[in-house]
Amino acid sequence: MVGVDPSKELLKLAANNAPKAKLIHAGAEDLSQHLEPEQFDAVVSITAIQNFTDLEKGLDEVKKMGKCTCKYCLTFLKASPRVALIEQAIAARFHVVDRAEEEHDIILLLSKTA
């Protein structure tokens, strides 16, 4: 398991909860500086996309990390003023398998291709 976060405080919490995980202090936009592409079977991003500094680059990096058969679960805040932009950017890069909404988040299950 690999965890990536730009917050050192959240990485400290992750280290306590998953001591065997490889933890990387970075943003999504910089994933390929720290990880080899196409190495993951599943990629999960929980309530982070609305915080990407560069939405398009961050999503491209997230997509690049998954194998061709990778399954992605990406969530983001419904209250973000960027919701429409985020959904459009995701739809341009991924195949949306399923979409759900809960109280605070939009949850997308994705694949690289249909």
Side-chain angles (χ1 to χ4, degrees), residues 81-93:
R82 300 171 67 190
V83 166
L85 180 65
I86 292 168
E87 290 206 75
Q88 183 180 35
I90 289 171
R93 288 164 174 77

Side-chain angles (χ1 to χ4, degrees), residues 1-107:
M1 180 180 357
V2 176
V4 180
D5 203 286
S7 167
K8 289 182 181 181
E9 295 303 315
L10 289 178
L11 289 173
K12 287 178 188 176
L13 287 173
N16 291 334
N17 290 313
K20 294 183 181 181
K22 176 181 179 180
L23 300 175
I24 300 168
H25 181 240
E29 298 86 352
D30 301 318
L31 290 174
S32 61
Q33 293 179 22
H34 302 278
L35 297 165
E36 292 296 319
E38 298 185 1
Q39 68 171 300
F40 297 104
D41 295 310
V43 174
V44 178
S45 174
I46 305 296
T47 318
I49 297 169
Q50 71 280 346
N51 298 321
F52 287 6
T53 303
D54 182 332
L55 178 62
E56 289 79 13
K57 184 177 181 187
L59 289 172
D60 289 342
E61 288 286 292
V62 168
K63 183 176 181 180
K64 191 186 304 183
M65 293 301 118
K67 295 177 181 177
C68 64
T69 58
C70 183
K71 303 299 180 208
Y72 299 81
C73 179
L74 308 182
T75 79
F76 53 93
L77 290 174
K78 288 176 17 177
S80 171
R82 300 171 67 190
V83 166
L85 180 65
I86 292 168
E87 290 206 75
Q88 183 180 35
I90 289 171
R93 288 164 174 77
F94 297 91
H95 170 69
V96 179
V97 175
D98 202 3
R99 181 187 187 282
E101 291 189 30
E102 61 93 34
E103 185 177 350
H104 300 288
D105 285 358
I106 294 173
I107 303 162

